[in-house]
Amino acid sequence: MKFRWLKAVSWIMSGILLMGCGGESNENPKTEPIVEQEKEETAVSPTPEEESDTEEEKLEIELPEEEELAADYTSVDGLILEEGTRIAFVVKNTETGYWKAVKKGVDQAINDLNQTLGYTENDMIRCTFEGPKSEVGVDEQVNSLDAVLAENPAVLCLAAIDMESCAAQLESAQENGIPVIVLDSGVASSDLVYSVCATDNYAAGAEAARHLCEAVGNQGEVAVLSHLQMGETSQERIRGFEDEIKNNHPEVTIVEIDYEPSRQDEPTVQEQMRETLEQYPELKGYFCTNEVMGKAALAVLKDYEERNIQVVGFDLGSIQEDAIRKGTEAGVVCQNPYGMGYATVVAGVRAALDMENDAFIDAGFQWIDQNNLDLEENSRYLYE
């Protein structure tokens, strides 16, 4: 499903790449008081003295089934952008280990582009990376999108908190010839998107279900603690989790799904979780759909240690890593945020150059537990 761009003939003839940043707005329930957006810009390549350190930090970029994709999203070779091109990222959050790892991949791709093309100082390709401090900040993200689009970037890379919230901004991007690459989480208006670079969240949810069922002995009651209900990632992970249990684990029952509140007057995830634990004294396991939910669950379960409730999480920050080592978390399904960030930049550059892109670029995932946590090949899945 390649996006058909409406471009002015004069724009095509001149080959000018639009530069800037983008933004969005939508009618959504009020979340929390508006907080200042975190905005960072990437452009600077390392000096020769710094190159050795950069090489040590650079992880190998791998994507599943790369040979089946129409393009190589692990390299910037052959991508020739004009000097001073600007790329904009608007993501769900800038605070968690997951999104910091995504940014590392983005930074590496921008750095590789500048080095490959020999761009320095004012000629450098630049990238802004911004988002709310919390993944419930729908209104903040919408305002950020509006501001970014007003700056007219060459390409917009978007991870939407609410899959319904971006229609007006995506239409604006189309009208102004700004290709949109979605990363991490899809949007309802998929026909306005050039490509999606994300985890196969349905398959990842099913993977989590298999491991949680194994941890609870394939019988008993389990519950889900999920991030925002209107996000595509939460919906797909839960759908995969539910289908796997329904189809293959008949003696396991999902008794409750609690969601991160979208408004301040709703119960917190901790309050919802404690209510669920009191209501279901025989509960044996929890599936947490992202890093923030995993942290919340582990904190609450410290007060219920005698119940030996098994936890399977999603995304691996330092708290989850420590819990796996101590045995208080069975394991986590880890995404590939560094590779996703890098591949999204490549897809965005290809879109800006009118090159062929795959409709869906699978960034991949990996199950991590005590048995494989320290394997070198899994280092790219560790977010901190």
Side-chain angles (χ1 to χ4, degrees):
M1 160 189 64
K2 184 171 177 180
F3 188 81
R4 296 176 182 271
W5 298 105
L6 305 175
K7 298 183 178 176
V9 173
S10 60
W11 187 79
I12 298 174
M13 295 291 291
S14 62
I16 297 174
L17 291 172
L18 299 176
M19 302 185 288
C21 295
E24 137 185 304
S25 83
N26 183 49
E27 294 181 4
N28 262 33
K30 260 197 148 148
T31 55
E32 53 188 24
I34 292 179
V35 295
E36 183 178 353
Q37 299 285 298
E38 293 291 318
K39 181 173 182 177
E40 300 180 56
E41 186 171 75
T42 300
V44 180
S45 298
T47 63
E49 293 77 13
E50 297 170 329
E51 283 183 357
S52 58
D53 292 337
T54 301
E55 288 302 319
E56 289 179 5
E57 295 174 3
K58 183 176 178 179
L59 298 175
E60 183 180 359
I61 308 297
E62 290 185 6
L63 301 175
E65 301 178 356
E66 291 176 24
E67 67 280 358
E68 297 181 9
L69 296 173
D72 180 4
Y73 300 96
T74 68
S75 170
V76 299
D77 292 348
L79 302 180
I80 304 175
L81 276 179
E82 290 195 359
E83 298 95 331
T85 297
R86 304 183 77 182
I87 297 170
F89 273 75
V90 177
V91 299
K92 295 179 178 181
N93 170 294
T94 58
E95 299 295 302
T96 63
Y98 173 79
W99 286 108
K100 289 176 181 178
V102 170
K103 187 177 185 298
K104 286 182 180 179
V106 170
D107 290 350
Q108 188 61 59
I110 297 298
N111 186 70
D112 287 354
L113 278 166
N114 284 319
Q115 285 194 325
T116 299
L117 297 173
Y119 292 161
T120 59
E121 300 181 350
N122 292 336
D123 291 340
M124 298 179 98
I125 297 163
R126 298 179 184 275
C127 179
T128 57
F129 191 95
E130 57 191 287
K133 291 184 178 180
S134 166
E135 290 197 12
V136 300
V138 178
D139 291 340
E140 297 94 311
Q141 189 184 54
V142 163
N143 294 336
S144 180
L145 268 171
D146 283 331
V148 167
L149 284 173
E151 295 176 2
N152 209 18
V155 62
L156 170 66
C157 302
L158 169 67
I161 295 174
D162 182 336
M163 64 187 297
E164 302 284 349
S165 67
C166 310
Q169 287 66 40
L170 295 178
E171 289 173 2
S172 175
Q174 181 187 39
E175 291 168 359
N176 290 282
I178 303 171
V180 177
I181 306 295
V182 162
L183 70 153
D184 179 74
S185 186
V187 295
S189 306
S190 58
D191 58 322
L192 300 176
V193 171
Y194 204 100
S195 293
V196 176
C197 182
T199 304
D200 184 339
N201 286 294
Y202 179 87
E207 181 80 355
R210 285 189 285 272
H211 287 284
L212 184 58
C213 288
E214 179 182 359
V216 300
N218 273 299
Q219 60 181 356
E221 298 174 339
V222 299
V224 178
L225 193 64
S226 174
H227 57 298
L228 278 182
Q229 188 171 4
M230 291 305 295
E232 192 228 16
T233 55
S234 62
Q235 292 180 8
E236 285 299 291
R237 289 170 196 174
I238 291 172
R239 191 168 70 88
F241 184 83
E242 289 177 320
D243 286 354
E244 170 64 24
I245 289 180
K246 177 182 176 181
N247 295 331
N248 300 307
H249 308 274
E251 296 185 42
V252 176
T253 303
I254 303 170
V255 295
E256 188 70 39
I257 300 177
D258 292 321
Y259 290 95
E260 185 177 16
S262 59
R263 300 190 307 270
Q264 284 186 304
D265 60 352
E266 294 178 337
T268 66
V269 292
Q270 291 86 354
E271 290 169 341
Q272 294 178 68
M273 190 174 172
R274 290 183 186 280
E275 183 177 341
T276 296
L277 289 165
E278 295 302 318
Q279 185 176 355
Y280 299 100
E282 301 301 318
L283 191 75
K284 297 178 67 175
Y286 252 105
F287 168 44
C288 305
T289 63
N290 73 359
E291 181 183 357
V292 175
M293 296 301 100
K295 289 180 179 179
L298 290 169
V300 170
L301 289 175
K302 287 181 180 179
D303 296 332
Y304 299 84
E305 289 181 352
E306 73 284 355
R307 291 175 60 171
N308 193 31
I309 294 172
Q310 300 296 309
V311 178
V312 164
F314 212 102
D315 298 335
L316 183 61
S318 58
I319 290 176
Q320 285 87 347
E321 180 178 347
D322 184 59
I324 290 171
R325 293 189 186 282
K326 292 179 178 178
T328 54
E329 185 164 21
V332 295
V333 177
C334 272
Q335 302 180 83
N336 179 16
Y338 184 88
M340 185 185 297
Y342 196 103
T344 300
V345 171
V346 174
V349 172
R350 293 180 66 86
L353 295 173
D354 272 336
M355 299 172 70
E356 180 183 7
N357 260 351
D358 292 271
F360 180 75
I361 305 158
D362 186 356
F365 62 83
Q366 175 68 44
W367 169 255
I368 301 288
D369 60 17
Q370 285 184 340
N371 296 320
N372 63 359
L373 179 60
D374 293 317
L375 295 182
E376 184 177 351
E377 60 264 33
N378 288 333
S379 61
R380 67 181 179 277
Y381 297 105
L382 307 183
Y383 304 167
E384 295 181 12

